[in-house]
Amino acid sequence: MDIKALIAQMTLEEKAGLCSGADFWHTKAIERLGIPASMVSDGPHGLRKQDDKADHLGVNDSIKAVCFPAGCATSASFDKELIGKVGQAIGDSCQHEKLSVVLGPAVNIKRSPLCGRNFEYLSEDPYLAGKMAAAYINGVQSRNVGTSIKHFALNNQEHRRMSSSSDADERTIREIYFPAFETAVKEAQPWTVMCSYNVINGVYANENKWLLNDVLRDEWGFKGYVMSDWGAVSDRVKGIIAGMDLEMPSSNGINDEKIVAAVKEGKLDEKLVDQACERILNIVYRYVENAKPDTPWDMEAQHQLAAQCAAECMVLLKNEEDILPLNKQDTIAFIGEFAKTPRYQGGGSSHINSFKTTSALEAAEGLNICFAEGYSVAADCSTEEQLAEAVKAAKAAKVAVVFAGLPDSYESEGYDRTHMHLPAYMDKLIEAVAEANPNTVVVLYNGSPVEMPWVGKVKGILEGYLGGQAVGIATVNVLFGDVNPSGHLAETFPLKLSDNPSYLYFGGEGNRTEYREGVFVGYRYYDKKEMDVLFPFGHGLSYTTFEYSDLKLSASEIKDTDTVTATVKVTNTGKRAGKAVAQLYVGDVESTAIRPVRELKGFEKVELQPGETKEITFTLDKRSFATWNEQIHDWYVETGDFTVEVGSSSRDLPCKACLKVNSTVELPRHYDMNSIFLDIMSDPKAAAAFKPMIDQIMQAFGGGSNEEKSEAATEAISDEMGMAMMKYMPLRGTLSFGGSKEAALQVEALLKSLND
Ligand code: BGC
């Protein structure tokens, strides 16, 4: 299709009209020109296709579909291939349902455990979120339907989500809040990007030219169209100028008229409207020309895939005395309503109308299970009878498994949590069961971390997250050892909420949220502060054991333009087959920038038979070592030594190697009378120029060679002391302490020649 020729035939009104949706889920058709409508749908972990009575918060019903594990779970798989497979399945479903774009993945960074949508989001770590998002997008798009990575950008809370300004510095945005989007764009080229509701440093995301044009398109090379989040548009004309192509859902013609008027009044270049239409139509036709509505949608097969995926995502947090896996011959108590009615997805726009669900109780049919309800979520309590029944069941069983987690109302799109507790009745139930039976295991179904006051009283904890409609199958498979757990935490579980770095500022004041913790999000903060956490980022146990060894780097010194490879051996030292998640972290040994101790820069999941060893190779490049430098507005590696650590979690890194990276970029420097000696001396050129002057001053301080120094001077002040005192002195200071006119002229001349 010659899109440009098509646009040339469109009236201004038709073009303006194309820049907003026809209704909740469709782009506009222009019948006169044979332009078809195209449909988009939520997303991300299944289809929420609505036919009529559309709404965006999941209140009205959508078609029956398959609910895969939510983002909180899939990211914990650390398995790019697996999330890619889920993407392929969703892509097939889209083709079957004639959907051009699925609205996801949702990749906003988990700045605080409180964000109501953390269950949809992937991680507190931008590298992990980016790689997993790219794999999902490549999976969906391999089926010739598009994705809409969302919510671009800095949409890390639900509180005042449509009005609040997320205020962060440039480096924090570049290092923490952008890379998930950046990696996805560079490695998977999503067909569309959804810009967020919120304001960023005072400018609405949907009107933000820097965001949507300069960074997303010019820097990262995004080729598709940008759509607004539903109802995010504030000033439509500013949006067109900024590169926000499609307003969703519909503007009811109001904003279309504003676009037309702005063009007629000469306030908006019609070319920008053409450009938005071209981007939208490129995608509309990309789908139309590759539509395969006869693609089968085998929901039963996808249910099995959802079960397999959920099992890969589960994180075994604790397994004292190898309480798990359970023995199929033993009598096991399943306690808690969630064993029968699991919570497996979150609320809001991602809510799927599952064609079926399988609970753990159903999946365990045929095993020796006794069940006690323990609590009722609807009644929001545990009655005395329920507690007594639970204790009785626990006492009669070899092992008691309590199913707990967060009820729907605790976390959802649209609002944030206010605390990190489980319902009090669940904590109480766990304590009572653990007292009745020392062999107690807790299974959690929740979308974000919770505090665990009972952590020391139970032997096993399995974090099941929101595992999708087949979560029960996965839970039973993991509990009884048919699947060896291999999920690892994509977020830190702090001991308590107030330990979290964003605690003081999360939610902000009025319409302003300052990201004052800067780059110290999640483990970047806890590690730097050497704080104890409940479970660290990257943590996850297995029924077997792994040993990491022989970390080798391909070079001990590189330039920042080179790459270096790291190889490491992983051995399964236990008795079962299992999957290890090798994680590689890079740290800057010494830096003028204030940096985290270590940052994830590589991960790989590998399956190993007992006794088997595999070698894993990681490639590190400039970005693995760089920080965002606000002086040059670019990535910059400061020359120096770096550590490379590999292991099974951010706090279990047995292998360590070092290398030196040399910068090929010279930072621009400028000196004046206010420049201090420390900065002058750290620049070889400036240090050489000022050396005679520095020597002279040192003499004045009583410095110089020991023979020259008087005994009294040596006693009063050593060279080191002199230097230490001198280093913060500005040039002008030396002149005011006993300088002269000639000396000042001399310094000025030196400065001029240096700056030139
Ligand atoms: C959500 C988006 C969603 C859209 C359409 C919005 O409220 O923020 O994530 O895709 O609605 O349902």
Side-chain angles (χ1 to χ4, degrees):
M1 178 59 61
D2 186 346
I3 305 285
K4 279 200 166 71
L6 203 55
I7 292 169
Q9 297 175 58
M10 289 163 69
T11 64
L12 175 59
E13 285 71 17
E14 283 168 339
K15 288 189 281 192
L18 192 66
C19 295
S20 66
D23 57 29
F24 244 86
W25 306 114
H26 294 90
T27 59
K28 288 198 185 92
I30 304 176
E31 278 163 28
R32 183 179 76 82
L33 297 170
I35 296 174
S38 71
M39 187 171 188
V40 302
S41 170
D42 286 308
H45 45 264
L47 296 192
R48 190 175 70 93
K49 186 187 176 195
Q50 293 187 313
D51 280 335
D52 38 33
K53 294 203 196 103
D55 71 273
H56 69 302
L57 288 178
V59 186
N60 289 324
D61 259 0
S62 48
I63 60 163
K64 291 278 181 206
V66 181
C67 179
F68 287 95
C72 56
T74 41
S75 53
S77 74
F78 275 72
D79 191 334
K80 293 167 258 190
E81 210 178 302
L82 183 82
I83 201 173
K85 271 194 204 156
V86 171
Q88 289 166 8
I90 290 173
D92 286 339
S93 323
C94 286
Q95 280 289 6
H96 180 88
E97 285 296 324
K98 305 194 189 71
L99 297 171
S100 65
V101 170
V102 62
L103 303 176
V107 304
N108 297 91
I109 291 297
K110 301 183 191 209
R111 176 177 175 237
S112 160
L114 296 183
C115 173
R117 284 187 98 164
N118 276 0
F119 73 87
E120 273 182 81
Y121 297 151
L122 299 176
S123 181
E124 69 185 25
D125 181 81
Y127 179 86
L128 176 63
K131 292 289 176 188
M132 296 300 278
Y136 171 90
I137 293 168
N138 280 327
V140 174
Q141 296 190 169
S142 71
R143 296 328 201 228
N144 282 316
V145 290
T147 53
S148 193
I149 189 169
K150 64 191 187 183
H151 309 88
F152 191 49
L154 285 98
N155 183 182
N156 311 92
Q157 65 187 47
E158 290 298 281
H159 179 70
R160 291 177 179 253
R161 67 169 169 165
M162 297 176 94
S163 57
S164 183
S165 182
S166 302
D167 291 356
D169 61 77
E170 189 184 326
R171 180 178 159 208
T172 299
I173 293 177
R174 292 291 188 156
E175 290 186 21
I176 304 293
Y177 296 98
F178 271 0
F181 294 96
E182 179 185 2
T183 304
V185 167
K186 290 181 174 167
E187 295 183 7
Q189 195 57 249
W191 288 16
T192 79
V193 167
M194 187 190 292
C195 70
S196 55
Y197 283 127
N198 54 286
V199 179
I200 299 168
N201 289 328
V203 184
Y204 269 108
N206 73 86
E207 295 167 9
N208 205 314
K209 184 172 167 298
W210 168 73
L211 184 76
L212 305 180
N213 228 55
D214 306 354
V215 174
L216 179 66
R217 293 194 166 96
D218 293 350
E219 271 185 43
W220 300 346
F222 173 63
K223 301 270 184 296
Y225 72 76
V226 174
M227 71 174 88
S228 72
D229 198 344
W230 268 231
V233 167
S234 166
D235 183 324
R236 186 66 189 106
V237 173
K238 277 192 189 162
I240 293 279
I241 295 168
M244 210 296 288
D245 307 304
L246 177 66
E247 171 179 8
M248 286 304 282
S250 154
S251 82
N252 297 312
I254 300 166
N255 282 336
D256 309 354
E257 276 171 22
K258 285 189 183 159
I259 294 174
V260 171
V263 171
K264 286 189 176 156
E265 287 161 20
K267 290 181 185 151
L268 174 64
D269 187 344
E270 192 169 347
K271 283 204 193 86
L272 295 178
V273 185
D274 291 357
Q275 198 178 48
C277 290
E278 188 178 335
R279 290 178 187 140
I280 295 167
L281 289 179
N282 274 336
I283 298 300
V284 169
Y285 279 97
R286 187 158 175 192
Y287 164 70
V288 168
E289 286 164 4
N290 294 288
K292 285 200 194 79
D294 54 354
T295 305
W297 185 0
D298 185 342
M299 290 205 198
E300 281 298 340
Q302 287 193 0
H303 187 69
Q304 293 312 319
L305 176 61
Q308 187 200 334
C309 178
E312 296 287 321
C313 301
M314 293 193 169
V315 187
L316 182 61
L317 293 175
K318 178 173 180 180
N319 198 20
E320 217 172 272
E321 297 169 23
D322 290 334
I323 184 80
L324 294 176
L326 303 171
N327 190 330
K328 285 184 182 164
Q329 269 65 54
D330 291 337
T331 300
I332 308 292
F334 274 10
I335 298 166
E337 196 186 19
F338 279 175
K340 197 169 152 195
T341 329
R343 174 148 185 270
Y344 63 89
Q345 64 172 329
S349 61
S350 68
H351 200 89
I352 309 293
N353 183 6
S354 307
F355 86 95
K356 75 171 183 186
T357 58
T358 309
S359 69
L361 207 53
E362 287 166 319
E365 213 190 292
L367 299 170
N368 301 323
I369 307 289
C370 58
F371 172 68
E373 201 143 34
Y375 56 84
S376 154
V377 168
D380 195 27
C381 71
S382 249
T383 61
E384 285 305 317
E385 281 131 285
Q386 281 170 324
L387 259 185
E389 198 201 349
V391 166
K392 197 172 149 206
K395 280 188 175 154
K398 182 83 189 281
V399 178
V401 183
V402 184
F403 288 73
L406 294 175
D408 272 326
S409 63
Y410 273 60
E411 50 182 354
S412 169
E413 175 175 345
Y415 55 90
D416 295 319
R417 291 196 292 172
T418 53
H419 60 76
M420 246 176 64
H421 310 305
L422 287 175
Y425 59 84
M426 289 195 192
D427 281 337
K428 193 170 156 196
L429 175 72
I430 295 168
E431 302 255 0
V433 170
E435 209 175 296
N437 189 339
N439 292 327
T440 291
V441 171
V442 175
V443 171
L444 290 169
Y445 293 149
N446 48 306
S448 39
V450 291
E451 289 174 27
M452 302 183 196
W454 34 260
V455 66
K457 297 179 185 161
V458 300
K459 283 195 184 155
I461 306 172
L462 180 64
E463 176 55 78
Y465 278 114
L466 301 182
Q469 64 178 52
V471 69
I473 304 175
T475 307
V476 169
N477 283 342
V478 171
L479 285 177
F480 288 91
D482 292 329
V483 174
N484 191 350
S486 60
H488 286 247
L489 292 180
E491 61 195 328
T492 310
F493 276 48
L495 284 166
K496 55 183 189 304
L497 176 64
S498 56
D499 288 348
N500 179 262
S502 75
Y503 177 72
L504 294 176
Y505 307 105
F506 183 74
E509 291 171 335
N511 273 337
R512 183 162 189 234
T513 298
E514 290 179 84
Y515 287 40
R516 289 202 194 178
E517 69 283 359
V519 299
F520 293 97
V521 172
Y523 69 90
R524 287 168 166 76
Y525 174 79
Y526 301 117
D527 284 359
K528 189 89 177 180
K529 294 266 295 184
E530 300 180 342
M531 282 167 78
D532 283 341
V533 295
L534 187 55
F535 296 107
F537 176 85
H539 170 71
L541 304 172
S542 163
Y543 297 151
T544 187
T545 45
F546 300 105
E547 203 177 277
Y548 290 82
S549 62
D550 288 331
L551 172 62
K552 287 198 184 88
L553 302 179
S554 60
S556 56
E557 186 166 352
I558 59 164
K559 282 198 275 213
D560 62 4
T561 44
D562 299 336
T563 57
V564 60
T565 56
T567 53
V568 71
K569 286 187 180 143
V570 195
T571 305
N572 182 344
T573 49
K575 294 194 178 68
R576 283 171 178 263
K579 290 180 183 169
V581 173
Q583 301 160 44
L584 181 149
Y585 297 81
V586 170
D588 194 344
V589 174
E590 210 186 298
S591 169
T592 53
I594 298 169
R595 300 191 68 175
V597 179
R598 61 181 63 82
E599 299 181 89
L600 184 74
K601 296 295 172 187
F603 65 91
E604 222 46 74
K605 194 168 194 172
V606 282
E607 182 160 21
L608 296 160
Q609 298 304 315
E612 189 183 357
T613 299
K614 277 186 186 160
E615 192 172 78
I616 302 176
T617 304
F618 300 94
T619 303
L620 303 176
D621 60 13
K622 179 172 179 178
R623 280 293 285 275
S624 314
F625 304 99
T627 45
W628 181 263
N629 185 293
E630 295 197 0
Q631 196 190 351
I632 53 170
H633 307 289
D634 202 354
W635 296 101
Y636 175 70
V637 181
E638 191 174 305
T639 295
D641 294 334
F642 290 82
T643 54
V644 174
E645 296 169 291
V646 181
S648 64
S649 105
S650 62
R651 295 225 171 152
D652 182 11
L653 297 165
C655 298
K656 189 169 174 173
C658 285
L659 80 159
K660 186 176 182 205
V661 184
N662 293 303
S663 177
T664 55
V665 176
E666 211 179 309
L667 292 178
R669 293 183 188 249
H670 179 87
Y671 298 100
D672 57 28
M673 282 294 186
N674 288 323
S675 301
I676 63 168
F677 276 96
L678 179 69
D679 295 337
I680 290 169
M681 276 145 42
S682 66
D683 171 4
K685 241 193 254 162
F690 278 94
K691 189 169 185 304
M693 185 175 162
I694 293 166
D695 286 348
Q696 224 175 14
I697 294 166
M698 290 309 294
Q699 289 289 339
F701 266 129
S705 68
N706 281 337
E707 300 87 72
E708 288 165 18
K709 268 193 272 181
S710 73
E711 229 172 86
T714 318
E715 260 173 41
I717 192 159
S718 69
D719 276 7
E720 293 86 84
M721 285 164 77
M723 282 313 288
M725 286 158 81
M726 268 282 294
K727 66 183 178 187
Y728 303 128
M729 176 86 78
L731 284 175
R732 68 180 150 74
T734 59
L735 296 173
S736 52
F737 297 122
S740 64
K741 229 187 214 168
E742 293 77 60
L745 288 174
Q746 220 182 340
V747 171
E748 263 163 26
L750 267 178
L751 284 171
K752 191 170 179 313
S753 74
L754 261 181
N755 289 330
D756 287 349

